[in-house]
Amino acid sequence: MTYEDSIFVRSFGQHELKKLGSGALLLFFIMAFTICTIFKLPVYSQVDLVKPVHNFSNSRSDVYEINGDIRIHSNSSTIFVAPSFHAEITSSWTIKPYARKQKETKIERVREWKVKYHQVPNCSRRFTIPAVLFSTGAYSGNYFHAFTDIIIPLYLTCRQFNGKIIFLITDNYSWWVSKYNVILEKLSKYDVVDIDKENDVLCFSRMIVGLKSNKEFGIDPRVSPHYSIKDFRQFLRITYSLEKETISPCHKKFGIIRRPRMLIISRRKKRHLTNESGVAKMARTMGFDVVVKEMGSNVSLVAHFVNSFDVMMGLHGAGLTNMIFLPENAVVIQIVPFGLDVASDIYFGLPARDMKLRYLEYKVSLNESSLLGKYPNDSEVYRDPRAIHKRGWAAFYFTYAFNQEVNLDLGRLRATLVHAFELVCS
């Protein structure tokens, strides 16, 4: 304390000093309010100043980033957030941490969690690393949905942490974690926590509830954190040590021509291509080195296998998800069963183009479809598939996806294969 300070203190009694301090505090608030009023600045409450919860939800998924004293209690399906500055906050809301919003049975079965401002329970285990809570339920058993609903959103949400984030998985299936473990280990340096089996109260200072998603089987680079599907494909190439980044030229030295490799994805169940052997034979006569194969469940083996091809062709379905492993400038040919053109471009056409792949589409005519003769000639199933689609996705998909086989007109298909050959060998 300086000499001037001691003189100032001795000039006033204790009571006068308290009154002076209170008056100064009141004067400060009056001045602050006046400045905010004159310059139209926002006036914040104590809670607003902290902003512990950020809402990143959109039409595809609900996502909340929470900062502060966070305690997750699995037995009550509750994420407790301690009110900042002891503010009187009683608000709460629920979330299903799965990156797809649809009122369908499988999504309704995703475990619902409550985020609640409340006096927090005692902490059993405390972590200094951030966490993300997400579900591997709903449609995760479908290969396409595993990527578009979970893996791509997980990359989009967690890549920024460079592995320093803990995965809290609800609706956990051990087989799912095992199948995609290579990717999970690349995004997180820590063991997965099966949160549904936890009896302890786990404590964090930062948590993301839900996964960011902004595009079907893709990433919108205009949206924060501004990653792209090209970045994700590069991430997969590194993760699985894939050799080919782009397709090789057909023409080599000394006039030797390399036959472009074509993969025809085989399906043994619904939407079966009944004359796939005939399609493969014709493609070989046109100069392709053709392999017909049904995709297996070992993602690492599939990734290396697919990465070696220049052209991939298959019926609309989860098998086409493997285009994600193709080298850049490869050709994807989607065979679109009759009526399914409503979904073909959204699920595979647009994503293929975003991935810098050349996309071709072969639309199956009614004469090539097993649907011919199953309904009256004037049936709406033939006349207006979009009308069937408007009645609901389940009825539409059952009619055109689960109840149809295809026998391709080789004469019609030939033009598409010629185009594909020209694209990879020109």
Side-chain angles (χ1 to χ4, degrees):
M1 182 179 290
T2 65
Y3 175 74
E4 289 81 2
D5 290 335
S6 64
I7 293 293
F8 180 79
V9 171
R10 288 200 298 269
S11 300
F12 296 91
Q14 193 70 22
H15 180 67
E16 286 83 358
L17 282 172
K18 287 184 178 180
K19 288 176 67 178
L20 184 63
S22 300
L25 185 61
L26 178 62
L27 179 61
F28 170 78
F29 280 115
I30 292 172
M31 289 176 66
F33 180 78
T34 303
I35 291 170
C36 289
T37 303
I38 293 173
F39 294 100
K40 297 182 179 179
L41 298 174
V43 180
Y44 295 102
S45 68
Q46 289 177 323
V47 177
D48 290 328
L49 285 170
V50 178
K51 196 73 174 179
V53 178
H54 297 268
N55 186 351
F56 295 103
S57 303
N58 58 21
S59 60
R60 291 189 60 83
S61 66
D62 288 327
V63 188
Y64 295 91
E65 183 172 324
I66 310 171
N67 297 278
D69 187 356
I70 308 152
R71 309 193 179 191
I72 182 167
H73 182 232
S74 178
N75 290 345
S76 62
S77 302
T78 305
I79 300 162
F80 294 95
V81 184
S84 304
F85 295 117
H86 306 289
E88 293 295 328
I89 304 177
T90 56
S91 62
S92 66
W93 65 95
T94 58
I95 176 174
K96 289 179 180 287
Y98 184 81
R100 182 171 293 273
K101 290 182 179 179
Q102 288 177 345
K103 290 185 178 180
E104 295 184 4
T105 303
K106 285 191 176 182
I107 292 180
E108 288 175 356
R109 290 175 181 165
V110 170
R111 186 177 184 185
E112 187 172 73
W113 289 79
K114 178 183 284 187
V115 182
K116 186 176 184 179
Y117 287 103
H118 195 271
Q119 182 177 352
V120 294
N122 291 331
C123 196
S124 303
R125 283 186 283 159
R126 187 176 295 276
F127 298 82
T128 58
I129 305 297
V132 59
L133 172 68
F134 63 97
S135 170
T136 56
Y139 297 103
S140 64
N142 177 283
Y143 192 56
F144 172 78
H145 284 284
F147 273 89
T148 193
D149 294 354
I150 303 175
I151 295 171
I152 293 176
L154 191 63
Y155 169 86
L156 190 59
T157 306
C158 300
R159 184 58 173 161
Q160 60 185 308
F161 294 97
N162 293 316
K164 294 181 179 179
I165 189 163
I166 296 171
F167 294 159
L168 308 179
I169 300 183
T170 187
D171 307 309
N172 180 42
Y173 293 98
S174 58
W175 65 263
W176 194 95
V177 171
S178 177
K179 181 173 182 175
Y180 301 105
N181 191 51
V182 176
I183 295 174
L184 298 180
E185 288 185 345
K186 200 71 174 179
L187 289 172
S188 173
K189 299 177 180 178
Y190 307 94
D191 292 338
V192 165
V193 176
D194 186 344
I195 194 64
D196 296 344
K197 294 181 179 179
E198 282 290 338
N199 294 316
D200 291 342
V201 175
L202 309 186
C203 303
F204 300 88
S205 59
R206 185 180 183 186
M207 181 183 292
I208 299 173
V209 184
L211 298 177
K212 296 178 181 178
S213 177
N214 53 40
K215 202 169 188 179
E216 191 73 79
F217 196 31
I219 299 173
D220 187 345
R222 299 170 299 177
V223 180
S224 179
H226 307 293
Y227 294 126
S228 67
I229 196 66
K230 183 178 180 180
D231 296 329
F232 178 68
R233 276 168 41 85
Q234 180 62 22
F235 164 78
L236 290 180
R237 273 194 286 270
I238 294 170
T239 299
Y240 287 108
S241 302
L242 304 182
E243 294 182 5
K244 293 182 68 175
E245 186 169 346
T246 186
I247 61 172
S248 304
C250 291
H251 299 277
K252 295 186 178 181
K253 294 181 180 180
F254 311 113
I256 299 174
I257 298 177
R258 180 184 69 85
R259 290 165 65 90
R261 283 170 56 78
M262 172 186 281
L263 169 62
I264 298 177
I265 298 176
S266 182
R267 296 178 62 95
R268 298 302 176 194
K269 297 180 182 179
K270 53 185 179 291
R271 293 193 305 285
H272 174 53
L273 180 59
T274 58
N275 63 335
E276 68 179 13
S277 60
V279 171
K281 183 178 180 180
M282 183 180 74
R284 290 188 182 101
T285 63
M286 296 174 64
F288 288 102
D289 178 10
V290 181
V291 177
V292 180
K293 188 174 178 63
E294 190 171 8
M295 297 294 93
S297 60
N298 187 312
V299 182
S300 183
L301 293 178
V302 169
H304 282 270
F305 179 69
V306 172
N307 185 247
S308 68
F309 287 90
D310 306 290
V311 180
M312 186 174 81
M313 179 167 64
L315 280 158
H316 174 86
L320 288 177
T321 307
N322 290 300
M323 70 170 70
I324 200 85
F325 302 119
L326 284 171
E328 197 167 294
N329 291 325
V331 174
V332 175
I333 305 173
Q334 180 179 192
I335 301 170
V336 185
F338 179 81
L340 279 178
D341 51 313
V342 174
S344 61
D345 203 53
I346 295 173
Y347 289 132
F348 298 112
L350 289 173
R353 292 187 283 271
D354 286 346
M355 293 175 196
K356 305 302 180 185
L357 303 172
R358 272 81 70 87
Y359 176 75
L360 301 177
E361 195 171 82
Y362 181 89
K363 292 184 179 180
V364 172
S365 68
L366 182 56
N367 289 332
E368 297 169 285
S369 170
S370 64
L371 293 178
L372 183 64
K374 288 187 177 181
Y375 301 90
N377 291 337
D378 61 346
S379 171
E380 196 172 41
V381 171
Y382 302 149
R383 289 185 293 102
D384 194 358
R386 291 182 183 273
I388 306 295
H389 182 259
K390 289 178 182 178
R391 294 177 188 170
W393 187 251
F396 171 78
Y397 229 59
F398 177 79
T399 302
Y400 297 104
F402 291 91
N403 197 26
Q404 182 174 184
E405 293 185 344
V406 172
N407 190 288
L408 296 180
D409 181 332
L410 299 184
R412 277 189 68 213
L413 178 65
R414 188 177 186 86
T416 303
L417 299 190
V418 168
H419 191 186
F421 193 94
E422 290 172 346
L423 285 174
V424 295
C425 288
S426 59

